[in-house]
Amino acid sequence: MSERPKVTEAAIREMKARGEKVAALTAYDFPMARLLDQAEIPLILVGDSLGMVVLGYPDTTHVTMQEMEHHVRAVARAKPRAFLAADMPYRSYTTPDETLKNARRLVAAGAEAVKAEGGREILPQVNAIIGAGIPFLGHLGMLPQHVLEEGGYHVKGRKESEHQGLLADAEALTEAGAFAIVLELMAAPVAKEISQRISIPTIGIGAGKDCDGQILVTPDLLGMLPWYNLKHVKPRLNAADQMRAVVKEWKESVERASEREPEVRPVVTK
Ligand code: KIV
């Protein structure tokens, strides 16, 4: 059997041309990256959702460059065939110079592409990244790094002004050279229209079925975080319940064993 080739930026772009859907997932550590790769996921993202799903922060605005680097290194050690993208964390891309410095740090940690949130307002930063030869993944719609100023996670594109702005942002990122764009919490007809208009894949999360691919936060897919009540994902596994049950059963087996006759150990004399 021939080895699966390494997935590249070009391969992700070509999937749209061939009419193939992109199924992308997040990973934050070595074992998850290895399992996703064995399942032949073509695009793995070290998302800054790391903050909530691994580090226990209330939102992504607390995630630092050092934390992203640490987790990108862990994922990269799995040497995935998947194309490996990493999120630029909050306030790590405020100027083009700072953006490039931080994007290079993520690449040095093992990322093959970086993602940043926003459209035309971050074009100078996007140009700096792409101009330096680093593949760029866009992110439009609800931008989780703006959750505090927006007071929550709201669906984007329902107002006509938002709809037109999102189309213009998607076109600007495509023109700048992004290889794909994540569309998060976006009105489904707007996500569909963007997907039809631009030549690069759109990868939706809570943006309807007509995107060129879908991305999920892997612990949401596996039902590992039952304390979040998410509308856009129905877990395919109830990992939290299964883990709790196995741990409880093991704990009880340990407790039962200690109730038995204590083991008689030979007395060792010197
Ligand atoms: O941080 C993240 O996990 C993301 C999602 C869109 C998957 O950006």
Side-chain angles (χ1 to χ4, degrees):
M1 210 174 78
S2 65
E3 271 224 332
R4 274 184 302 127
K6 172 79 188 136
V7 180
T8 58
E9 172 188 10
I12 301 288
R13 286 173 182 271
E14 283 157 20
M15 287 177 80
K16 177 158 180 162
R18 281 201 299 269
E20 287 173 27
K21 295 273 187 184
V22 182
L25 284 170
T26 62
Y28 315 95
D29 59 26
F30 175 90
M32 188 54 82
R34 187 170 253 199
L35 292 175
L36 299 187
D37 208 44
Q38 287 170 349
E40 304 191 11
I41 288 295
L43 175 63
I44 293 178
L45 172 71
V46 185
D48 62 354
S49 47
L50 167 73
M52 288 101 87
V53 306
V54 177
L55 301 178
Y57 294 139
D59 55 63
T60 60
T61 65
H62 302 264
V63 178
T64 65
M65 268 302 295
Q66 287 88 342
E67 287 165 341
M68 286 303 301
E69 285 173 293
H70 179 77
H71 287 269
V72 169
R73 278 191 214 105
V75 168
R77 279 184 205 113
K79 297 192 171 51
R81 300 236 156 251
F83 196 49
L84 180 56
D87 260 329
M88 301 207 61
Y90 186 58
R91 293 204 171 137
S92 69
Y93 52 100
T94 50
T95 67
D97 283 352
E98 186 198 33
T99 304
L100 189 52
K101 190 181 88 208
N102 286 327
R104 285 187 166 135
R105 279 174 63 178
L106 293 174
V107 169
E112 295 166 312
V114 298
K115 170 162 87 56
E117 298 180 3
R120 287 160 294 167
E121 75 282 14
I122 61 159
L123 262 193
Q125 290 92 315
V126 174
N127 287 331
I129 293 168
I130 295 172
I134 301 172
F136 181 76
L137 176 59
H139 187 151
L140 296 174
M142 199 288 140
L143 307 179
Q145 292 175 8
H146 292 238
V147 67
L148 298 180
E149 66 245 41
E150 296 195 359
Y153 300 91
H154 306 295
V155 175
K156 294 298 165 93
R158 286 184 174 147
K159 295 186 204 127
E160 189 48 27
S161 57
E162 269 178 10
H163 170 185
Q164 292 310 326
L166 288 166
L167 275 174
D169 285 337
E171 277 168 351
L173 292 178
T174 307
E175 186 121 323
F179 71 88
I181 308 178
V182 169
L183 305 182
E184 177 158 6
L185 289 191
M186 190 180 289
V190 178
K192 180 176 181 181
E193 189 179 346
I194 291 176
S195 306
Q196 288 168 342
R197 279 252 200 124
I198 64 175
S199 55
I200 57 173
T202 57
I203 306 180
I205 174 163
K209 62 174 180 39
D210 294 310
C211 297
D212 303 304
Q214 299 288 332
I215 185 164
L216 283 178
V217 169
T218 304
D220 294 339
L221 176 69
L222 302 181
M224 292 169 76
L225 310 167
W227 42 89
Y228 291 121
N229 186 13
L230 303 170
K231 289 206 188 85
H232 69 268
V233 49
K234 196 171 174 320
R236 304 279 177 111
L237 181 72
N238 200 336
D241 278 355
Q242 293 186 16
M243 285 162 76
R244 273 193 293 246
V246 167
V247 170
K248 195 155 185 282
E249 190 188 285
W250 176 79
K251 173 182 170 280
E252 286 165 3
S253 78
V254 170
E255 290 164 352
R256 274 197 307 276
S258 69
E259 281 164 15
R260 286 202 296 266
E261 287 287 295
E263 211 180 303
V264 182
R265 288 169 179 265
V267 179
V268 182
T269 49
K270 286 203 178 151

